[in-house]
């Protein structure tokens, strides 16, 4: 039962353009959503998060949008840079259990 | 910022032996530590949650007698893979939190690549 899904396994974007990574979830009890960036053979690095009571959070080039009615969130990276190439995971936090549930990841490739 | 050190980064062991992986929070007290496993091109799967001084809570399908977790102090948790088999080969990642879960509060180690031959 995959409660957090990232339906696009990969995405290729040209440098300078916008990257949009999507994530869907099924559990309405999640209270926080987080995005992580991960390189092979390394642990995830936190990027940005959003509370379930918000619909947008922005930090520099990264913006996360949350649509609670659609149970959908997205990460926008603009402008995209080659150094952004990595696997991006969305994760959802369950307050009562205090744990994270990860999506399946999207591999972003930013080309020159 | 918060740093979590995980050691070793990679280990190769023979079938039937046990392997211990350490996870340390370097500059904060980790009230809760988590152990994940990642299969190639797959998501991070939570194996267990451990709170300092108490028994770990294992996720469904994870054998607690095979994956022994010890969280004896607020800065150290260990995962021991007992009687390892080739199917235990995977990338194991720990995470620690001091209680703030909003993002930076969950800090991940750099992972351990376990290969069982």
């Amino acid at each position: 039962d995959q409660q957090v899904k990232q339906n696009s396994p990969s995405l290729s974007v040209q440098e300078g353009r916008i990257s949009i990574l999507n994530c869907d979830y099924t559990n309405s009890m999640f209270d926080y959503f987080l995005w992580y960036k991960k390189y092979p053979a390394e642990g995830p690095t936190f990027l940005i998060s959003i509370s379930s009571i918000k619909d947008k959070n922005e930090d520099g080039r990264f913006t996360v949008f949350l649509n609670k009615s659609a149970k959908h969130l997205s990460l926008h990276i603009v402008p995209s840079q080659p150094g952004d190439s990595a696997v991006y995971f969305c994760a959802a936090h369950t307050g009562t259990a205090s744990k994270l549930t990860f999506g399946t990841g999207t591999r972003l490739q930013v080309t020159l | 910022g918060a740093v979590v050190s995980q050691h070793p980064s990679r280990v190769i062991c023979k079938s039937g032996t046990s392997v211990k992986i350490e996870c340390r929070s370097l500059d904060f007290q980790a009230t809760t530590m988590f152990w994940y496993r990642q299969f190639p091109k797959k998501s991070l799967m939570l194996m267990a949650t451990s709170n300092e001084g108490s028994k770990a809570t294992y996720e469904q399908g994870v054998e607690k007698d095979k994956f022994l977790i010890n969280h004896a102090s607020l800065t150290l948790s260990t995962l021991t893979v007992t009687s390892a088999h080739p199917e235990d080969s995977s990338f194991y990642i720990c995470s620690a939190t001091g209680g703030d879960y909003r993002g930076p509060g969950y800090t991940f180690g750099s992972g351990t690549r376990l290969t069982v031959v």
Side-chain angles (χ1 to χ4, degrees):
Chain A
D1 177 27
Q2 189 71 37
Q3 295 188 57
V4 181
K5 295 181 182 178
Q6 293 173 256
N7 292 316
S8 298
S10 64
L11 174 67
S12 182
V13 173
Q14 207 168 22
E15 181 182 13
R17 307 293 289 264
I18 184 171
S19 295
I20 301 176
L21 298 102
N22 295 302
C23 181
D24 297 292
Y25 63 96
T26 58
N27 189 344
S28 58
M29 297 303 292
F30 290 137
D31 59 353
Y32 248 90
F33 301 91
L34 307 93
W35 283 94
Y36 288 87
K37 179 180 180 180
K38 187 180 182 301
Y39 295 110
E42 292 185 13
T45 302
F46 169 75
L47 282 175
I48 192 169
S49 64
I50 188 168
S51 164
S52 62
I53 62 173
K54 304 279 188 181
D55 55 21
K56 178 183 175 181
N57 187 26
E58 188 173 354
D59 184 2
R61 296 187 299 116
F62 303 94
T63 303
V64 57
F65 295 93
L66 175 62
N67 183 333
K68 266 190 93 170
S69 60
K71 293 190 173 67
H72 176 85
L73 64 152
S74 60
L75 173 67
H76 293 212
I77 307 173
V78 57
S80 301
Q81 299 172 353
D84 296 329
S85 298
V87 177
Y88 288 78
F89 287 95
C90 69
H93 180 267
T94 308
T96 51
S98 190
K99 66 178 186 181
L100 295 179
T101 303
F102 281 83
T104 47
T106 296
R107 180 176 300 280
L108 173 65
Q109 180 74 38
V110 179
T111 59
L112 296 173
Chain B
V3 177
V4 171
S5 173
Q6 186 172 341
H7 178 81
S9 58
R10 57 183 65 199
V11 57
I12 301 173
C13 71
K14 292 184 177 180
S15 288
T17 61
S18 296
V19 173
K20 181 185 285 188
I21 302 169
E22 290 189 350
C23 181
R24 292 180 185 274
S25 58
L26 298 186
D27 49 4
F28 68 101
Q29 292 188 326
T31 53
T32 307
M33 287 188 169
F34 306 86
W35 287 94
Y36 295 84
R37 179 174 180 177
Q38 185 185 24
F39 293 99
K41 298 183 180 180
K42 297 289 185 182
S43 181
L44 282 72
M45 302 300 296
L46 180 65
M47 299 174 65
T49 302
S50 72
N51 293 293
E52 183 264 339
S54 60
K55 289 185 178 180
T57 301
Y58 290 81
E59 295 298 302
Q60 191 173 11
V62 178
E63 300 176 59
K64 61 181 181 181
D65 294 331
K66 181 166 189 60
F67 299 100
L68 301 179
I69 291 171
N70 184 283
H71 192 166
S73 78
L74 283 171
T75 59
L76 174 64
S77 176
T78 60
L79 167 67
T80 301
V81 183
T82 62
S83 187
H85 291 283
E87 57 265 31
D88 298 325
S89 298
S90 192
F91 192 62
Y92 293 86
I93 308 173
C94 71
S95 172
T97 178
D100 179 3
Y101 57 78
R102 288 168 293 174
Y106 278 112
T107 305
F108 286 81
S110 53
T112 298
R113 168 73 58 193
L114 170 63
T115 304
V116 184
V117 297

